Amino acid sequence: MLVLLLLQMQTINFDHDWRFHLGDVTGAQEVAFNDSGWRRLDVPHDWSIEGTFSEQNPAGAGGGALPGGVGWYRKTFTMWAPDSDRVAYIEFDGVYRNSEVWINGAYLGKRPYGYSSFRYELTPHLHYHAPNVIAVRVDNSQQPNSRWYSGSGIYRHVRLVTSDPVHVDHWGTYITTPSVTEDSARVTIRTTLREERHSGQRVALQTTLFDSAGRRLVSVSTVVDVPGDSTSTYAQDLTLAHPVRWSLERPYVYEARTQVLCGQKICDLYTTRFGVRSFEFRADSGFFLNGRHVKIRGICLHHDLGALGAAVNTRAIERQLEIMKAMGANALRTSHNPPAPELLDLADRMGFIVLDEAFDMWKKEKTKFDYHLDWDAWHVRDLSDMVLRDRNHPSVFMWSIGNEVMEQWNNDDSTAAPIARELAGIVRSLDPTRPVTQAANNGSPQNPVFHAGALDLLGHNYHHEVWADFPTQYPGAKIIITEAMSALNSRGVYTFRADSVFDYHTPYEKDTGPQPPANGRLSSYDNSHAFWGSLHETSLRLFERYPFLSGMFIWQGIDYLGEPTPYEWPARSSYFGAVDLAGFPKDPFYLYQSVWTAKPMVHLLPHWNWSVGDTVVVWAYTNAEEVELFLNGVSLGVRRKPETVSHLVWHVAYAPGTLRAVARTAGTVTATDEVKTAGAPARVVLSPDRRRLAANGDDLSFITVTVQDSAGVAAPTAEPLIRFWLTGNARVVGVDNGDAMSHTSFQAGQIRLFNGKALVIVRAGTNPGAITLRAEGDGLRPVTIKLRTTR
Ligand code: GAL
């Protein structure tokens, strides 16, 4: 058994024990190069997030005001028998950007696009029973090359894969379910085998399907003659009786195990997860999943993980998706690039509909050094690789070939339509089962991309004023709102001009229109937006009203680094999120919850720390029929939601105490919420999302930091500096407070609260045991909490 195991394909985690040097070096690809002085680290790694915020960093505030540059990574490893008769590949999920890779001094290639996954074959260059050196040069020095924070380095996972010379090719299975009913599903498995021994072979290709509990269901075996030095594809069909269909409520994932049998020997074993589901977009009535109507209520997400930067961490992505699920979102758009594979795995198992997007630009630039420079040489490969990598994920329902590409603006631009057709053709040749869309913000009916005949779904960004015209403008077309909102808020900031709407012209049109407050704090009443966008509430109401709109993706689910519209430096992260950069909900989060979730809720804003004499504008979001407001037990009246508005309003003469909202439907209380006046901050409070972590070196606890008065009421506007001390086998790996103007390093051991909140992120080490985290602030009672890591 052991021998067999050794002979099967092996995938080895290659994340650990790299050496890193920031800056360019000559000769670092050579085996003999001395890297002993370089820093030791594990990837995923993002060197930009370790840097200092500065106006001088050439990425600009739009890129997060953090440094780029050139970095080198080296990893030394030894291969043991019986690997010498085998083939070996190194797989990178993503390196930002312009990576070049060498093995033992031999050049393997370059990959400009920082979001593509790729691999190189190492076989002919490997030494056995002796050290081998992989060297990676990453060049993110040409800036700006992105409209948002990209991160720099080997920021996703790396693997070493060894296998027999006859094996399943990279991304070598494609599983479709051409017919699905309640009683049965036909499952077609196309497997691409690669033969590298230069001699033909007869093998048995055996595919077995397993349910999500690991029970074997059905199997098929086909004898095939694989030609020498070839790649060839074989189709097999299986039938699943009474399939559990993948749905948002029950995201059920099956597994296909492919064995390549060379006589008695298992030459390869390859696993593919897939789902069984049917879906359809209809022009008049939207999206249907397994025959049931589903309104696609989505969010756009960039890839950064706040204080952790771009470095992939599965738990950090999972937390983001949990927060989005709690808001009521059922879909996400990977704006504007192929995501980390872990995001799609999570979407598969948590039940999200994914719009998988390839590019933010085509041939025409958005920023000086962006991917338009690589377009001609690389777009076919990058787009193909995204589809090949992602086409088995049940969560992926649509492909987007681009976001707001500049080509769409010239109505007689003969480049837009041919490119759109070329890209859609590439996608369809690799996956005809999902619709192709493109996110266009040229709302003109003449938009050449919409007339190219390339798209299955017309993807429209912003301009909700034209939504009503779609059915007449594009008769029979299927429509999705690929992007909407761009409303602007800071968490916990309330200015009482809540009834006025601010339409901010951004740095792009600096001196016109209202100017945002100079302190970089925008009110969290839903009352400001970028001039091309809208308030959350306005577009949301329209979207819910039109049945022909199959879905909508709001900009943005969660704040991200870079693009601090309507500001420039000293701001360095976005204001668009329904949730701030640290993961704390802003008030519009509850607007979505009130429309998109059924669990009874009511949310009251603002906080209740004002001055006597103030008239406070109080809002409530609820999914109940009515809300009664009480100040210190005295009713201030019942409000029922009017037809035209999604929030309830009271104007209240401030008195300290407790403001309480009681939500009712049909006379029964469904939910309550309250805000209380806090006295002077007296003590620090740490609230971890999880106290027990896996001792795997990756797991995280996200700990909310607040301060309370002596009676235990959280102080909503307090902003003291809090310092942290940790003991045990874990590290503080990030601090944040959601303030877009903060220039404190995310890796500092201290953070100032922003409107009463901050976040500290603790990462488990690899030894199980107890961890303590202590937090102190001047004049405040300190606190120590205990966490534990277990095997
Ligand atoms: C859109 C764009 C997004 C983001 C957003 C900000 O036009 O697609 O990437 O820039 O605007 O409002």
Side-chain angles (χ1 to χ4, degrees), residues 642-694:
E643 278 296 298
T644 47
V645 187
S646 301
H647 62 275
L648 306 175
V649 185
W650 295 258
H651 290 86
V652 180
Y654 177 73
T658 301
L659 188 71
R660 182 174 166 81
V662 177
R664 294 189 201 97
T665 295
T668 304
V669 175
T670 56
T672 61
D673 191 22
E674 61 182 33
V675 283
K676 282 187 173 180
T677 308
R683 59 175 189 161
V684 189
V685 177
L686 295 177
S687 315
D689 67 341
R690 297 181 320 156
R691 288 179 187 270
R692 202 168 266 271
L693 303 180

Side-chain angles (χ1 to χ4, degrees), residues 42-59:
D42 296 340
V43 301
H45 169 242
D46 169 10
W47 80 68
S48 297
I49 205 71
E50 299 169 349
T52 305
F53 291 107
S54 163
E55 196 178 6
Q56 306 310 322
N57 285 323

Side-chain angles (χ1 to χ4, degrees), residues 18-305:
W18 290 79
R19 297 276 182 163
F20 172 70
H21 174 80
L22 183 58
D24 212 357
V25 205
T26 356
Q29 70 275 22
E30 302 302 337
V31 178
F33 182 87
N34 181 357
D35 61 17
S36 60
W38 287 16
R39 178 174 152 203
R40 239 177 142 131
L41 51 73
D42 296 340
V43 301
H45 169 242
D46 169 10
W47 80 68
S48 297
I49 205 71
E50 299 169 349
T52 305
F53 291 107
S54 163
E55 196 178 6
Q56 306 310 322
N57 285 323
L66 285 166
V70 172
W72 278 88
Y73 297 82
R74 282 167 59 94
K75 181 174 167 74
T76 304
F77 63 99
T78 304
M79 302 281 284
W80 302 100
D83 288 342
S84 51
D85 353 307
R86 293 156 65 79
V87 291
Y89 292 89
I90 186 159
E91 297 186 351
F92 292 90
D93 285 345
V95 183
Y96 202 92
R97 83 188 293 283
N98 287 314
S99 65
E100 292 178 275
V101 183
W102 291 261
I103 172 76
N104 296 331
Y107 188 66
L108 294 174
K110 174 167 181 167
R111 196 73 185 216
Y113 198 31
Y115 300 107
S116 282
S117 299
F118 57 93
R119 76 173 192 177
Y120 296 111
E121 181 160 8
L122 305 179
T123 322
H125 312 287
L126 284 176
H127 306 144
Y128 290 88
H129 312 286
N132 295 280
V133 178
I134 293 270
V136 183
R137 180 178 184 271
V138 185
D139 187 346
N140 192 18
S141 60
Q142 286 191 309
Q143 301 272 358
N145 60 50
S146 176
R147 297 187 301 110
W148 57 87
Y149 174 78
S150 64
S152 311
I154 306 181
Y155 72 104
R156 292 182 182 163
H157 291 289
V158 185
R159 290 171 298 277
L160 181 77
V161 175
T162 68
S163 77
D164 189 273
V166 58
H167 58 268
V168 177
D169 202 6
H170 195 209
W171 305 320
T173 55
Y174 178 37
I175 302 185
T176 55
T177 50
S179 74
V180 179
T181 67
E182 250 175 61
D183 297 332
S184 80
R186 204 176 110 210
V187 181
T188 301
I189 306 111
R190 290 180 187 78
T191 307
T192 301
L193 294 182
R194 191 172 163 84
E195 209 290 337
E196 298 197 41
R197 196 176 269 142
H198 311 294
S199 61
Q201 286 203 59
R202 170 163 294 188
V203 302
L205 176 64
Q206 194 176 82
T207 303
T208 309
L209 306 187
F210 292 81
D211 69 12
S212 68
R215 280 182 298 252
R216 185 176 177 285
L217 300 172
V218 280
S219 190
V220 58
S221 183
T222 318
V223 174
V224 296
D225 286 309
V226 189
D229 198 11
S230 70
T231 51
S232 41
T233 302
Y234 306 92
Q236 294 173 309
D237 272 304
L238 283 167
T239 301
L240 279 179
H242 307 293
V244 182
R245 287 175 294 175
W246 188 97
S247 65
L248 298 176
E249 301 75 30
R250 192 174 177 199
Y252 195 91
V253 178
Y254 288 93
E255 196 172 281
R257 284 185 213 159
T258 312
Q259 288 195 334
V260 181
L261 298 165
C262 311
Q264 291 307 304
K265 186 174 109 181
I266 301 173
C267 278
D268 197 8
L269 177 60
Y270 188 95
T271 301
T272 312
R273 276 180 301 221
F274 70 99
V276 175
R277 78 276 190 282
S278 61
F279 69 95
E280 182 191 359
F281 285 87
R282 296 186 197 153
D284 57 345
S285 48
F287 177 71
F288 290 76
L289 176 57
N290 301 322
R292 238 192 72 215
H293 179 254
V294 174
K295 194 100 172 155
I296 298 176
R297 293 168 167 150
I299 39 130
C300 299
L301 285 181
H302 273 316
H303 67 301
D304 79 59
L305 298 169

Side-chain angles (χ1 to χ4, degrees), residues 147-148 302 336 360 403-404 441 461-462 483 486 530 532 555 560 563 576:
R147 297 187 301 110
W148 57 87
H302 273 316
H336 305 294
D360 191 44
N403 172 58
E404 300 186 351
N441 62 332
N461 288 8
Y462 301 101
E483 201 174 307
S486 281
W532 55 87
W555 195 269
Y560 51 95
E563 209 180 31
F576 296 117

Side-chain angles (χ1 to χ4, degrees), residues 609-626:
N609 268 54
W610 303 101
S611 307
V612 173
D614 287 344
T615 299
V616 183
V617 182
V618 173
W619 284 22
Y621 292 120
T622 186
N623 50 14
E625 282 172 359
E626 60 178 41

Side-chain angles (χ1 to χ4, degrees), residues 388-648:
L388 286 170
R389 190 194 69 172
D390 295 348
R391 64 186 175 169
N392 290 319
H393 284 280
S395 60
V396 175
F397 282 80
M398 302 158 257
W399 304 109
S400 164
I401 54 174
N403 172 58
E404 300 186 351
V405 296
M406 301 314 276
E407 284 82 351
Q408 63 170 333
W409 289 105
N410 192 345
N411 288 348
D412 57 10
D413 184 341
S414 53
T415 61
I419 296 177
R421 284 195 288 265
E422 183 207 359
L423 302 181
I426 293 169
V427 174
R428 285 193 196 104
S429 72
L430 299 169
D431 178 39
T433 74
R434 296 172 174 90
V436 178
T437 188
Q438 199 258 19
N441 62 332
N442 173 358
S444 144
Q446 273 77 48
N447 185 334
V449 177
F450 284 176
H451 294 285
L455 305 180
D456 304 303
L457 269 175
L458 300 190
H460 185 90
N461 288 8
Y462 301 101
H463 304 295
H464 62 217
E465 64 284 357
V466 304
W467 292 356
D469 303 332
F470 285 158
T472 43
Q473 236 161 42
Y474 308 102
K478 300 166 183 173
I479 314 268
I480 190 155
I481 304 304
T482 30
E483 201 174 307
M485 310 306 176
S486 281
L488 300 161
N489 315 95
S490 307
R491 177 188 49 77
V493 176
Y494 304 96
T495 38
F496 289 151
R497 299 163 304 171
D499 300 331
S500 326
V501 169
F502 297 90
D503 168 0
Y504 290 125
H505 285 240
T506 72
Y508 314 121
E509 295 195 23
K510 214 169 196 156
D511 301 318
T512 58
Q515 295 297 303
N519 64 3
R521 295 181 176 215
L522 295 173
S523 182
S524 193
Y525 292 102
D526 181 16
N527 68 343
S528 21
H529 61 82
F531 72 85
W532 55 87
S534 67
L535 301 181
H536 288 285
E537 184 168 324
T538 326
S539 291
L540 178 60
R541 293 183 64 83
L542 287 174
F543 165 68
E544 293 292 333
R545 183 189 304 165
Y546 298 129
F548 56 85
L549 297 179
S550 54
M552 172 177 75
F553 294 86
I554 69 162
W555 195 269
Q556 242 255 6
I558 303 179
D559 275 335
Y560 51 95
L561 285 160
E563 209 180 31
T565 304
Y567 299 102
E568 292 178 315
W569 177 264
R572 50 60 170 165
S573 56
S574 79
Y575 291 78
F576 296 117
V579 166
D580 76 13
L581 194 69
F584 301 130
K586 304 179 193 174
D587 297 285
F589 172 96
Y590 299 98
L591 164 70
Y592 291 100
Q593 212 176 45
S594 74
V595 180
W596 286 355
T597 69
K599 192 172 146 210
M601 58 76 63
V602 58
H603 172 76
L604 209 49
L605 61 141
H607 57 73
W608 209 240
N609 268 54
W610 303 101
S611 307
V612 173
D614 287 344
T615 299
V616 183
V617 182
V618 173
W619 284 22
Y621 292 120
T622 186
N623 50 14
E625 282 172 359
E626 60 178 41
V627 175
E628 185 165 8
L629 189 69
F630 297 88
L631 178 56
N632 296 326
V634 178
S635 175
L636 301 179
V638 175
R639 299 277 189 275
R640 293 179 78 86
K641 248 193 274 181
E643 278 296 298
T644 47
V645 187
S646 301
H647 62 275
L648 306 175

